[in-house]
Amino acid sequence: MQIISTIFTLSFFTICCLKFMHAADPPLSLDYYKSSCPNAEAIVRKEMECAVLSDLRNAALILRLHFHDCFVQGCDGSVLLDDTFTLQGEKNAPTNLNALKGFEIIDRIKNKLESECPNTVSCADVLTYAARDATVLVGGPYWDVPAGRKDSKTASFSLVESNIPGANDGLLSIIAKFMYQSLSVTDMVALSGAHTIGMARCTNYRERIYGDYQTTSTMGDIAESHLKTLKATCPAAGGGDNNEAAMDYASPNLFDNSYYHILLRGEGLLNSDQELYSSILGVQTRKLVRQYAENAIAFFEQFSESMVKLGNITNPETYVDGEVRKNCRFVNT
């Protein structure tokens, strides 16, 4: 126990130092487009309604895009950039490859906005608005979105791998990556609740279902049946890497707090999810998982607050050399 306490103390000191390296106050405001594009939010909302009505899974795709954008260079639309001869984007980084979808939804929204208010609404703001609306459209909470982000002219392939939490990361690694973005442990547990919607690929949960799943799970009849289904579509020997399973098998298309109930039963699909409840170091995270499982309103309130903090992670360079892209896939020429 003394060794574990020492490791935790040193790790906590390290991640606290990282936090102060990245902290910044973004120049954002709620009425940023009041004069220049008053219908901006309404246009985003209407297009998101169409996208989610056509396929409920689109909500999770947009939320994931927003998260992956903000954790690399801040919320600057860099994740939307395609590779070109002069720019290596983030889409083909191993963590993002085959994992990120929904780019065409952002394209459609941006085209509508360019028709209404040319050269005005940044792609970074489009994605931030869209993530909020995606959440609301599948039953989640609403929050006001400060705007005024600029689009980056750069992307970072390498930072994707170092900044984005991995499916098999341990608890301290996950905490460190969130604190580097000035997000607290409470933010981390609340934002992880976004996994109440969306799918995970076999390559990201194979280690979990053939590892300690049966150790952490209560393994009732439902859990046993679910595990058999997971193994049938995700062979231990390999193959089927892109086969998908819901991270919240109870209500995969509804934004609710059932994700936390799944963690309480030890049935989290990803190692990184179950770590929040089962890790020996997870004293605070375990308490928060229980709280959000018992109180959906508390989860919704904290999720809203944490999503604002996530969206406020800006890229300072964009306020010196940023732009409003005409096409979210390419830097302006």
Side-chain angles (χ1 to χ4, degrees):
M1 285 298 295
Q2 181 61 41
I3 294 174
I4 292 173
S5 176
T6 302
I7 292 172
F8 184 78
T9 301
L10 290 172
S11 300
F12 188 78
F13 176 78
T14 301
I15 56 185
C16 283
C17 290
L18 286 173
K19 175 181 177 181
F20 291 111
M21 288 169 59
H22 201 73
D25 293 321
L28 307 176
S29 65
L30 292 175
D31 59 355
Y32 188 82
Y33 296 113
K34 183 178 181 180
S35 300
S36 59
C37 193
N39 293 323
E41 289 191 70
I43 291 170
V44 176
R45 189 178 308 114
K46 182 177 180 181
E47 291 302 310
M48 281 305 302
E49 286 173 357
C50 293
V52 174
L53 283 172
S54 68
D55 189 341
L56 291 173
R57 291 175 297 181
N58 283 333
L61 301 184
I62 297 302
L63 257 182
R64 181 178 293 175
L65 270 183
H66 179 52
F67 181 88
H68 282 236
D69 184 36
C70 295
F71 262 58
V72 178
Q73 297 189 169
C75 310
D76 62 357
S78 60
V79 75
L80 304 173
L81 289 168
D82 284 350
D83 288 350
T84 68
F85 288 115
T86 58
L87 184 145
Q88 183 180 37
E90 298 164 12
K91 294 179 180 180
N92 291 316
T95 294
N96 287 344
L97 187 63
N98 297 319
L100 298 185
K101 303 173 185 177
F103 297 104
E104 70 286 346
I105 298 172
I106 301 302
D107 291 339
R108 286 198 295 270
I109 297 171
K110 180 60 173 173
N111 287 338
K112 294 282 186 179
L113 286 166
E114 284 299 299
S115 297
E116 176 95 3
C117 319
N119 307 314
T120 303
V121 183
S122 69
C123 298
D125 278 345
V126 169
L127 185 51
T128 309
Y129 283 139
R132 185 269 312 276
D133 294 338
T135 303
V136 173
L137 288 165
V138 288
Y142 174 93
W143 61 92
D144 291 319
V145 174
R149 299 163 191 82
K150 297 300 180 185
D151 297 323
S152 67
K153 296 180 182 178
T154 63
S156 180
F157 185 97
S158 61
L159 283 180
V160 173
E161 300 311 300
S162 59
N163 287 16
I164 303 290
N168 293 306
D169 280 359
L171 184 61
L172 291 181
S173 173
I174 303 168
I175 291 174
K177 289 176 180 179
F178 272 79
M179 283 198 165
Y180 180 72
Q181 305 294 345
S182 297
L183 296 169
S184 68
V185 171
T186 300
D187 294 321
M188 178 190 72
V189 177
L191 291 172
S192 296
H195 286 176
T196 188
I197 57 175
M199 312 290 281
R201 294 183 300 139
C202 163
T203 189
N204 287 326
Y205 62 80
R206 178 181 283 118
E207 184 174 318
R208 166 75 172 139
I209 63 174
Y210 292 102
D212 67 351
Y213 188 99
Q214 289 179 286
T215 303
T216 62
S217 173
T218 53
M219 291 309 294
D221 291 342
I222 295 176
E224 284 192 24
S225 175
H226 182 55
L227 183 57
K228 285 181 182 178
T229 301
L230 291 172
K231 289 182 174 181
T233 57
C234 187
D241 283 0
N242 290 323
N243 291 342
E244 294 181 326
M247 288 181 281
D248 173 359
Y249 69 85
S251 53
N253 294 314
L254 178 64
F255 196 99
D256 56 16
N257 66 338
S258 66
Y259 161 83
Y260 298 105
H261 289 277
I262 287 172
L263 297 189
L264 290 182
R265 296 195 299 270
E267 298 172 19
L269 183 62
L270 305 179
N271 275 320
S272 56
D273 284 337
Q274 195 57 50
E275 278 281 290
L276 301 182
Y277 188 71
S278 299
S279 171
I280 191 173
L281 300 175
V283 177
Q284 182 181 357
T285 58
R286 192 177 303 117
K287 184 184 299 183
L288 289 165
V289 168
R290 289 197 189 103
Q291 178 185 347
Y292 298 149
E294 294 167 1
N295 190 336
I297 294 175
F299 164 49
F300 275 26
E301 288 178 347
Q302 185 58 56
F303 185 82
S304 299
E305 181 180 324
S306 297
M307 282 297 289
V308 172
K309 288 179 67 176
L310 174 69
N312 286 355
I313 304 171
T314 55
N315 179 351
E317 291 182 10
T318 61
Y319 294 95
V320 178
D321 189 37
E323 62 183 7
V324 174
R325 288 186 216 134
K326 297 176 182 178
N327 182 329
C328 293
R329 294 174 180 266
F330 304 102
V331 173
N332 294 339
T333 55

